[in-house]
Amino acid sequence: AQSVTQPDIHITVSEGASLELRCNYSYGATPYLFWYVQSPGQGLQLLLKYFSGDTLVQGIKGFEAEFKRSQSSFNLRKPSVHWSDAAEYFCAVILWGGANNLFFGTGTRLTVIP
Amino acid sequence: DGGITQSPKYLFRKEGQNVTLSCEQNLNHDAMYWYRQDPGQGLRLIYYSQIVNDFQKGDIAEGYSVSREKKESFPLTVTSAQKNPTAFYLCASKVGHSNQPQHFGDGTRLSIL
């Protein structure tokens, strides 16, 4: 079955440190890939998306993600984390065909320590 | 500004009571969605609608109902048949193209009294 896996439930980093959040998908073809961020009690905000082309995509708030077909991964990165980045991060995919709905990973909660 | 408005922000339900969550969008989007969010489980799709007067069940539709009488509105009713309704509910919408991202409202937190 198709799925999206975020293996890290919770990550803690120091402010100013680099960040990488992992996302793996299980699907035969290349899906459309997204990263969303959710602050407590809020909705989801789109950080970036990948459809095709350049495998390194830039998003808002200084985030970027790299699509690696060989590893079925779409990891989110930021070179220097700010305290305001503390939130929950969701990887999501749209699979070809069907209703083209989003399938979400279970999320990674990021804590930033001063 | 265009966006998705969910109301109320907090909602309380008594046992055996139906409650309706509102979702309105002024983005002129064709498709609308309802998700349920529980800790550690990510977002699960309840219902979705790709055009007016049409909607389909998602992965966890039991105990819920929806309507889509207008393009901008997609209310969700949590019925008494939903035995564990306490959750955070998110509404989303997107344009009709298959690869476009969804835009989300700020959610409604439903609790049982």
Side-chain angles (χ1 to χ4, degrees):
Chain A
Q2 296 87 359
S3 68
V4 181
T5 303
Q6 293 181 247
D8 303 305
I9 296 173
H10 184 203
I11 284 182
T12 299
V13 300
S14 298
E15 191 168 16
S18 64
L19 171 70
E20 183 169 28
L21 302 182
R22 297 182 290 166
C23 173
N24 294 93
Y25 65 91
S26 172
Y27 183 58
T30 300
Y32 297 128
L33 296 155
F34 306 85
W35 274 100
Y36 284 87
V37 61
Q38 183 183 33
S39 297
Q42 300 295 315
L44 276 68
Q45 181 183 22
L46 180 70
L47 285 175
L48 46 78
K49 60 187 178 184
Y50 173 77
F51 294 160
S52 64
D54 192 350
T55 56
L56 184 63
V57 294
Q58 301 298 319
I60 62 172
K61 304 185 178 186
F63 285 93
E64 65 179 25
E66 185 172 14
F67 170 65
K68 293 186 177 179
R69 185 189 306 275
S70 62
Q71 299 177 18
S72 297
S73 69
F74 188 56
N75 294 349
L76 182 71
R77 301 195 295 245
K78 187 170 185 177
S80 178
V81 171
H82 188 262
W83 64 266
S84 61
D85 293 324
E88 185 133 24
Y89 292 80
F90 292 94
C91 181
V93 302
I94 292 177
L95 307 177
W96 288 94
N100 298 311
N101 293 329
L102 272 175
F103 291 86
F104 286 89
T106 52
T108 297
R109 184 161 62 92
L110 174 65
T111 296
V112 180
I113 56 177
Chain B
D1 289 338
I4 301 175
T5 301
Q6 290 188 243
S7 61
K9 182 74 171 176
Y10 301 95
L11 188 57
F12 300 91
R13 196 191 89 170
K14 295 180 180 179
E15 294 286 346
Q17 188 179 51
N18 294 353
V19 291
T20 298
L21 284 61
S22 171
C23 178
E24 303 277 333
Q25 55 98 359
N26 60 4
L27 299 166
N28 199 33
H29 286 171
D30 299 302
M32 297 187 73
Y33 304 80
W34 274 107
Y35 293 91
R36 171 179 172 138
Q37 186 175 23
D38 297 282
Q41 296 194 47
L43 278 72
R44 293 182 290 168
L45 182 64
I46 305 172
Y47 268 99
Y48 64 99
S49 168
Q50 295 184 306
I51 57 172
V52 175
N53 292 322
D54 188 44
F55 49 83
Q56 285 78 39
K57 294 181 179 180
D59 300 320
I60 55 165
E62 185 175 353
Y64 300 96
S65 66
V66 293
S67 63
R68 187 84 187 278
E69 297 177 0
K70 299 185 296 182
K71 186 176 184 178
E72 59 270 24
S73 179
F74 191 41
L76 173 74
T77 296
V78 184
T79 74
S80 58
Q82 173 49 243
K83 298 307 180 186
N84 184 24
T86 297
F88 191 54
Y89 291 87
L90 286 161
C91 179
S93 70
K94 74 172 187 180
V95 298
H97 298 109
S98 62
N99 62 353
Q100 294 304 307
Q102 293 179 11
H103 298 256
F104 284 82
D106 284 339
T108 293
R109 184 164 299 281
L110 175 62
S111 301
I112 296 298
L113 290 178

